[in-house]
Structure formats: structure tokens, C-alpha cells
């Protein structure tokens, strides 16, 4: 799988699901989708498709195109899809259906601005407690959900080294996300698995945020009790390498 295609899968399978979290903790995001109802479908070559549904002040993201679409946006190339998410401007999608529902796209654009606020904060404007909580949640989900398409793509040799099983990650017990490797299958999802072979938990949101933005020494945090790590250490080591590579694809 090419780097461009792996990057596109990260955007659809790891970045789009982050939009679900925005209305739960960000007032500007709540305002952006207030009163709106509809489904935006993103399509690109190689069977790439995902849908964003706005309804009753919430957002639900699904892969594929199973829901009835209010507006369908087609990106003629995978590179254009990636440029759209990287905010490079010239990757304008073609509305092939529902152009009259452009208000949904405008709301999505506002949500994208809010996501950027949390994922790439201004160092001159520190996040407050509530913002740090949401930012830590988004960064956790992005790292774990993004590791799956990275592993299935160009990093196939890396996942061959990972023992079969499930790794769970959480912050204070919730939010939780996990990644599962079974033979040639490699998937990640929000929520709590029925069981796990490796477990990592952050003591609080501030600790998690500092680790994901590179302000915390991981090895020093474990004996301090800021991070709990148990189970398969080889699994933890290999997953951490995949998580680090996610950012290399999306920059």
C-alpha cells in the first residue's frame, strides 16, 4: 500500500472519528451543528468512503457509504483527499449529490477548525482544564485508531512482530480505546474490549496530554505512578512504534 493511500485511510478511519468527540466537550462545536441534520459522504478512489452524520446535536462517523447521503463529496484522487484534510486549500471536492445542502459542509469546516485548535494548540495560549481534557482524549484516539491503518499499510513488517492479542489504552478508566491483532487482521476501535493482553492507563488528562505532546518522559512516568503499564511488553513496544509513525503520515 502506498504512503498516500495509508495516509488517506488514517484520515478517514482515525481523524474523522475524532469529530464525534467535539460536540461532547466544545461549545463552539455544539453551536456549529445546532439544528442541523444530515449525512456528508466522502468518497475517493480505491473504495475509500466514510460518512459524517449530524443529528440532534451529535455526530456519528461510519466507514463506507451505507447511510442515505445528504451531500456526497467526491475527491478524484487520493492525494486530493489528503490535501483536503491537511488544509492545503487546492483540494476542493466535487459535490456529486446534494449541493443544496452545502450548510452541512460549512458546519463540517467549522468543526475542522475546532479540531485543529485542540490537536495543534497555540503555545502562546495554554489550554484550560476542560480543553486539556478534550485534547488528551482526541490525541489518545488519534494515536491508537491511526496505528491500525499504519500497520496494515507500509508497516506490515512491524505488525508481523506483534503477538496476537488486544491492547487497551485509557485515561482514568474512561475514555478507552483498544487495538486488536489476530493473525492478518489488525483493527482499532473506541470503547472497552472484553479482555486484553496489554493495558496502559494514564492517571489523569493532564498527564496524558503532556505525553502525547512530548512534554513527559514515558519511562520516568511509570515508576511515578503517572502511567500504569501491564501485560505483554513486546506488544506495548511494537504498538508504541506504530503510534509514533501516525504523525509522520499526516503532517
Amino acid at each position: 500500500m502506498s504512503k498516500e493511500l495509508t495516509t488517506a485511510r488514517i484520515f478517514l478511519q482515525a481523524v474523522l472519528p475524532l469529530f464525534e468527540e467535539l460536540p461532547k466537550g466544545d461549545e463552539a462545536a455544539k453551536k456549529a451543528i445546532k439544528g442541523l441534520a444530515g449525512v456528508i459522504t466522502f468518497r475517493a478512489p480505491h473504495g475509500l468512503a466514510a460518512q459524517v452524520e449530524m443529528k440532534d446535536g451529535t455526530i456519528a462517523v461510519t466507514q463506507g457509504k451505507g447511510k442515505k447521503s445528504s451531500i456526497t463529496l467526491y475527491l478524484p484522487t487520493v492525494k486530493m483527499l489528503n490535501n483536503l484534510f491537511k488544509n492545503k486549500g487546492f483540494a476542493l471536492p466535487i459535490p456529486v449529490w446534494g449541493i443544496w445542502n452545502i450548510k452541512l459542509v460549512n458546519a463540517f469546516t467549522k468543526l475542522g477548525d475546532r479540531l485543529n485548535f485542540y490537536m495543534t494548540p497555540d503555545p502562546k495560549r495554554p489550554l484550560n482544564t476542560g480543553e486539556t481534557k478534550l485534547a488528551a482524549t482526541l490525541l489518545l484516539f488519534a494515536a491508537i485508531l491511526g496505528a491500525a491503518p499504519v500497520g496494515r499499510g507500509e508497516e506490515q513488517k512491524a505488525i508481523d512482530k506483534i503477538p496476537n492479542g488486544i491492547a487497551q489504552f485509557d485515561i482514568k478508566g474512561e475514555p478507552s480505546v483498544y487495538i486488536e491483532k489476530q493473525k492478518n487482521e489488525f483493527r482499532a476501535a473506541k470503547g472497552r474490549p472484553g479482555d486484553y493482553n496489554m493495558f496502559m492507563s494514564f492517571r489523569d488528562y493532564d498527564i496524558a496530554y503532556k505525553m502525547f505532546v512530548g512534554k513527559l518522559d514515558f519511562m520516568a512516568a511509570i515508576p511515578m505512578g503517572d502511567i500504569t503499564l501491564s501485560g505483554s511488553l513486546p506488544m506495548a513496544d511494537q504498538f508504541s512504534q506504530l503510534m509514533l509513525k501516525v504523525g509522520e503520515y499526516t503532517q
Side-chain angles (χ1 to χ4, degrees):
M1 187 183 300
S2 70
K3 183 175 181 178
E4 286 284 1
L5 187 53
T6 297
T7 301
R9 295 190 185 282
I10 293 172
F11 281 129
L12 294 184
Q13 299 169 17
V15 175
L16 269 189
L18 302 183
F19 283 74
E20 296 178 331
E21 308 305 317
L22 292 172
K24 300 176 184 179
D26 182 77
E27 290 300 323
K30 292 179 185 178
K31 183 178 180 180
I33 65 172
K34 184 177 180 180
L36 293 180
V39 176
I40 303 173
T41 300
F42 294 87
R43 288 176 48 210
H46 300 283
L48 294 174
Q51 296 182 305
V52 178
E53 181 177 14
M54 302 177 193
K55 183 180 179 181
D56 299 328
T58 65
I59 294 175
V61 176
T62 53
Q63 300 302 306
K65 47 185 178 180
K67 296 180 179 179
K68 182 179 179 180
S69 185
S70 304
I71 181 168
T72 298
L73 302 175
Y74 179 68
L75 286 303
T77 68
V78 173
K79 184 175 181 179
M80 288 182 70
L81 173 70
N82 294 336
N83 286 338
L84 176 68
F85 281 92
K86 291 179 180 180
N87 294 318
K88 291 194 175 180
F90 52 82
L92 298 176
I94 301 171
V96 296
W97 171 258
I99 192 171
W100 52 89
N101 285 313
I102 201 70
K103 61 184 179 181
L104 293 176
V105 178
N106 291 337
F108 180 83
T109 300
K110 293 178 182 178
L111 292 172
D113 291 339
R114 297 309 298 161
L115 183 63
N116 285 335
F117 170 79
Y118 289 100
M119 300 296 283
T120 55
D122 184 349
K124 296 181 181 179
R125 193 270 198 201
L127 301 179
N128 61 35
T129 301
E131 291 168 345
T132 298
K133 179 179 179 179
L134 181 52
T137 300
L138 294 169
L139 290 165
L140 171 69
F141 286 163
I144 308 306
L145 296 177
V150 168
R152 292 194 302 268
E154 295 183 298
E155 310 301 329
Q156 180 66 45
K157 292 182 180 180
I159 71 168
D160 289 342
K161 301 177 183 178
I162 300 174
N164 288 338
I166 299 173
Q168 180 187 348
F169 305 79
D170 73 25
I171 305 174
K172 294 180 65 176
E174 190 177 345
S176 177
V177 61
Y178 65 94
I179 188 164
E180 179 178 7
K181 192 258 179 132
Q182 296 295 343
K183 295 183 179 179
N184 294 326
E185 295 183 11
F186 199 55
R187 69 183 188 92
K190 298 178 186 177
R192 308 185 72 83
D195 198 4
Y196 58 79
N197 304 89
M198 191 226 86
F199 176 69
M200 181 185 294
S201 182
F202 298 93
R203 181 168 56 83
D204 57 40
Y205 289 96
D206 188 56
I207 292 296
Y209 178 74
K210 287 179 179 177
M211 199 205 83
F212 284 115
V213 298
K215 294 183 178 180
L216 181 72
D217 186 310
F218 177 76
M219 296 307 296
I222 294 176
M224 292 292 292
D226 292 331
I227 296 176
T228 299
L229 177 64
S230 62
S232 173
L233 295 183
M235 183 178 284
D237 179 60
Q238 293 298 324
F239 278 140
S240 65
Q241 293 183 43
L242 289 179
M243 291 161 60
L244 288 172
K245 289 182 176 292
V246 174
E248 297 177 10
Y249 284 87
T250 57
Q251 295 301 317

